[in-house]
Amino acid sequence: LIGGNAGAYTGFMMQRGRIIVCGDVNANMGDSMYDGIIFVGGEPHSLGTDCVQGEMNEHEIRWLEQKIKNAEIDCKVPASKFKKYVDEDDYNYDVIIVGAGPVGLSFACSLIDLNLKVLIIDRSDLSSISNPNPDGRETALTHNSLKILKKLGVWDFIDQDKVSPLREAKVFDGDSESLLNFAASKSSIDALGYLVPSHLIRHALYQKVSSFENLSIITDLTVDSVETDNLVGKVPLSDGQILKSRLI
């Protein structure tokens, strides 16, 4: 942490870690930097090769405030006015989703209108994700689940002739003769829920996310681990590549 101004090439060939400069920075501040972040309260004279300005988030602002406070220096610039500079390839994606099942695909659908670069990683091949085979399983959708699928624009992709309304449900407890009986006819709703073949839900979700221009899917690879710190997440894959994201 530098309480005043910093000289040229402050972050030259920076490999990792964080540099905080409360004042200005001289020429080629982040030249050839690789995997670090430079926070600047003033202005850099020039950035240098590979260095670009990134976007600050609330977590980073709070982190900066705490670091400056702990250093007990008289920094004239509030943390909210700092600028962040990173390697131009610092983040491969804004969001990485591990798994292209119903949960992962649903989450991806919810991000469509947020102008984010999203990646889905799944060990299966693309054909089994884009056009899953019937497997005999049914998913019971509650009214809230149905509302979510409609809001995401997914419900219209499902063949309504394959949807079965759930009219009645009985709950048994072991060998007891007592039971709980729920019937739609005893209420103002048409059905307690809806049974839908699971593969149709997955197919509909894929149809929706495939229209998302900022979404990519990596298949036939597994995630070896997930590594995170306060500012970035890393996902090493089974083929050796390491992807970085703001959120995993």
Side-chain angles (χ1 to χ4, degrees):
L1 195 155
I2 301 171
N5 299 329
Y9 292 96
T10 294
F12 178 64
M13 296 191 72
M14 185 177 180
Q15 296 296 307
R16 61 188 307 165
R18 312 287 182 261
I19 297 175
I20 303 172
V21 182
C22 292
D24 299 327
V25 183
N26 215 324
N28 298 310
M29 175 183 70
D31 194 76
S32 301
M33 67 185 298
Y34 171 67
D35 193 23
I37 298 179
I38 305 173
F39 297 98
V40 180
E43 295 293 337
H45 182 273
S46 61
L47 302 184
T49 304
D50 299 326
C51 181
V52 296
Q53 184 173 343
E55 294 183 8
M56 291 278 286
N57 59 50
E58 290 298 322
H59 178 85
E60 290 169 329
I61 293 173
R62 291 195 299 270
W63 180 84
L64 268 176
E65 287 175 341
Q66 191 60 48
K67 287 293 182 181
I68 294 171
K69 179 180 178 180
N70 291 345
E72 297 182 347
I73 62 173
D74 184 21
C75 184
K76 305 298 184 183
V77 182
S80 60
K81 298 298 183 181
F82 271 68
K83 299 182 182 68
K84 179 177 76 171
Y85 298 91
V86 298
D87 164 41
E88 63 180 351
D89 295 322
D90 189 64
Y91 296 108
N92 304 106
Y93 299 93
D94 294 302
V95 181
I96 292 178
I97 300 170
V98 181
V103 174
L105 292 175
S106 296
F107 182 48
C109 285
S110 71
L111 303 176
I112 285 179
D113 296 325
L114 299 184
N115 193 31
L116 298 173
K117 189 176 181 182
V118 179
L119 173 69
I120 299 175
I121 305 170
D122 198 279
R123 68 174 64 201
S124 305
D125 58 80
L126 183 60
S127 62
S128 65
I129 298 171
S130 61
N131 192 26
N133 293 320
D135 57 6
R137 292 184 295 175
E138 302 265 334
T139 298
L141 297 177
T142 64
H143 287 273
N144 280 336
S145 298
L146 176 60
K147 186 183 299 183
I148 291 172
L149 290 179
K150 288 182 176 180
K151 183 177 180 180
L152 294 177
V154 173
W155 188 246
D156 291 339
F157 289 104
I158 296 176
D159 183 355
Q160 298 302 301
D161 291 336
K162 304 293 186 181
V163 178
S164 303
L166 183 61
R167 306 290 188 191
E168 187 175 359
K170 298 180 185 293
V171 181
F172 296 90
D173 182 13
D175 298 328
S176 172
E177 296 181 358
S178 302
L179 60 87
L180 293 175
N181 188 28
F182 300 92
S185 60
K186 297 179 181 179
S187 66
S188 59
I189 57 177
D190 295 329
L192 300 176
Y194 301 89
L195 290 174
V196 185
S198 298
H199 75 282
L200 293 183
I201 296 176
R202 292 171 59 200
H203 180 59
L205 287 165
Y206 177 81
Q207 285 181 283
K208 184 64 179 180
V209 298
S210 62
S211 65
F212 184 14
E213 294 182 355
N214 291 333
L215 182 137
S216 303
I217 298 180
I218 291 179
T219 60
D220 301 291
L221 292 177
T222 58
V223 172
D224 288 341
S225 63
V226 174
E227 304 168 8
T228 62
D229 59 25
N230 290 334
L231 300 173
V232 66
K234 297 180 181 180
V235 180
L237 300 183
S238 55
D239 67 346
Q241 63 177 312
I242 300 176
L243 303 177
K244 291 181 283 185
S245 175
R246 301 174 188 274
L247 176 67
I248 302 172

